[in-house]
Amino acid sequence: MRLVTPGNTTPDKVLSGDKFNSGINYGAIGTMPLKSSSNGDAGSSANHHNHKGIEAHPGVLYVRPVAPTDPTTAFQGDVWIRVPEANLNPAYWRSDVTMFGLQGTIPVRGAGGTVTPGPTAQTKPAGYWSTDITVAGVSVPAGAVLVGNTIAGTAGTMPNRSAQNIHLPANESTVWSGDRVFLQPPLGYYDGSTWVTAAAPQFVASNIRNGVTILGLTGNMVEGKRYATGSVAAPGSSLTINGLGFDPYIVTVGYYSAGDYYVQSGINGRWLWAAFQSVPGGSWKYGGYGEDAWTNNGFTLSSITGASLLVWQAWET
């Protein structure tokens, strides 16, 4: 004979250790595990039990306390389902947002806006920006940046002239009469030690009026035909004059000898002599040509007879 008790409960639906009567189970012992505040899972505190599954969806989080393959489980007392999640950290969300009772710590900065580069560094502090942060582009002409340097990602192409030559030829030169001289330097960078030059082979003292100074050069050119004169006492039988500073073209020499006045004239190295008789009404006496030496800076006259004082004059060609 079998005793049947009303009900359909089975041992797995009754707490472990408890007796129950249901159906053919009379005085049966339940087998359903009990999760309580005193039997937490390993690695957890007493009342914390590990979860058996988790699903996250926008706006909702699902935690499974028991896996589908686990036996039916009962919970009693102060029991918590433990879900380890390293990223559940207030440092990861905004300070105006609270999740699971935790307020975020990321500062809310407002709109991002545009950052315009300046001469010093600008810092956008860490935090949440509600709009994009735009760094304005910097247009840097490569030719305005010295070669070897980079500004805002643009490599410079401006030549370093001071590293090339300290005497650079000018591109062009212009003279404002009575005012100044202009020299146009080649494009590039100069450190202050470089000179810009212009060829001027005729810029010499002999081409500048005597006593006039131009750009530090004082001229020694005498305008017109240069002239020199002198006298020699008792010259003897010949006369040599040097150091005139110019090429003589016309030379005259005058002297008295035996009561007559002699005038010797020379042109371009050839001498013509003549004598004037000292008595009233005397006549000129003409002589012939001579070929005495004429140097670059003087002349020579030979065949002088009995002069006590000789006076000479010379003119430039």
Side-chain angles (χ1 to χ4, degrees):
M1 176 179 178
R2 175 181 294 178
L3 179 63
V4 178
T5 303
N8 59 359
T9 298
T10 58
D12 62 319
K13 301 294 191 302
V14 178
L15 288 176
S16 176
D18 289 352
K19 291 183 179 181
F20 72 96
N21 298 314
S22 176
I24 62 173
N25 295 301
Y26 182 77
I29 304 299
T31 61
M32 181 175 64
L34 173 64
K35 300 294 185 177
S36 69
S37 60
S38 61
N39 65 353
D41 293 330
S44 301
S45 58
N47 63 340
H48 287 73
H49 295 266
N50 293 329
H51 74 287
K52 296 300 182 69
I54 188 170
E55 285 186 13
H57 299 273
V60 64
L61 183 69
Y62 298 95
V63 179
R64 175 178 284 154
V66 180
T69 57
D70 288 346
T72 302
T73 301
F75 293 87
Q76 183 181 50
D78 185 17
V79 176
W80 295 80
I81 303 299
R82 180 174 178 270
V83 182
E85 176 51 69
N87 289 327
L88 186 65
N89 187 329
Y92 294 162
W93 61 84
R94 298 175 348 214
S95 60
D96 61 346
V97 174
T98 299
M99 292 194 296
F100 304 107
L102 299 175
Q103 183 178 5
T105 60
I106 297 177
V108 177
R109 303 298 185 185
T114 299
V115 178
T116 301
T120 59
Q122 301 179 59
T123 301
K124 285 284 190 178
Y128 168 75
W129 300 90
S130 60
T131 61
D132 292 338
I133 298 175
T134 301
V135 178
V138 178
S139 178
V140 179
V145 181
L146 181 63
V147 64
N149 293 272
T150 300
I151 297 179
T154 299
T157 60
M158 178 193 298
N160 187 349
R161 299 301 186 186
S162 296
Q164 297 174 357
N165 187 342
I166 61 171
H167 295 99
L168 289 173
N171 287 342
E172 294 184 25
S173 60
T174 300
V175 176
W176 284 8
S177 179
D179 189 355
R180 64 196 68 193
V181 176
F182 297 88
L183 300 179
Q184 183 185 72
L187 175 68
Y189 166 77
Y190 298 85
D191 63 4
S193 63
T194 303
W195 295 84
V196 179
T197 66
Q202 300 300 316
F203 186 56
V204 293
S206 60
N207 287 336
I208 301 174
R209 181 186 299 172
N210 186 46
V212 174
T213 300
I214 301 176
L215 297 178
L217 180 63
T218 301
N220 57 24
M221 179 186 72
V222 177
E223 294 182 284
K225 301 297 183 180
R226 285 175 285 186
Y227 164 80
T229 186
S231 62
V232 179
S237 60
S238 65
L239 173 68
T240 297
I241 299 297
N242 291 316
L244 294 178
F246 59 88
D247 295 337
Y249 182 69
I250 298 175
V251 177
T252 63
V253 178
Y255 61 92
Y256 281 100
S257 177
D260 291 331
Y261 178 64
Y262 291 85
V263 176
Q264 299 283 122
S265 298
I267 299 176
N268 198 21
R270 297 176 64 85
W271 288 103
L272 170 66
W273 66 267
F276 179 75
Q277 192 174 5
S278 61
V279 297
S283 61
W284 284 100
K285 297 178 181 179
Y286 296 97
Y289 290 98
E291 297 291 343
D292 290 320
W294 288 41
T295 66
N296 289 337
N297 292 298
F299 60 90
T300 297
L301 174 63
S302 60
S303 302
I304 299 174
T305 57
S308 59
L309 178 66
L310 182 147
V311 178
W312 60 267
Q313 294 176 314
W315 291 267
E316 187 179 20
T317 181

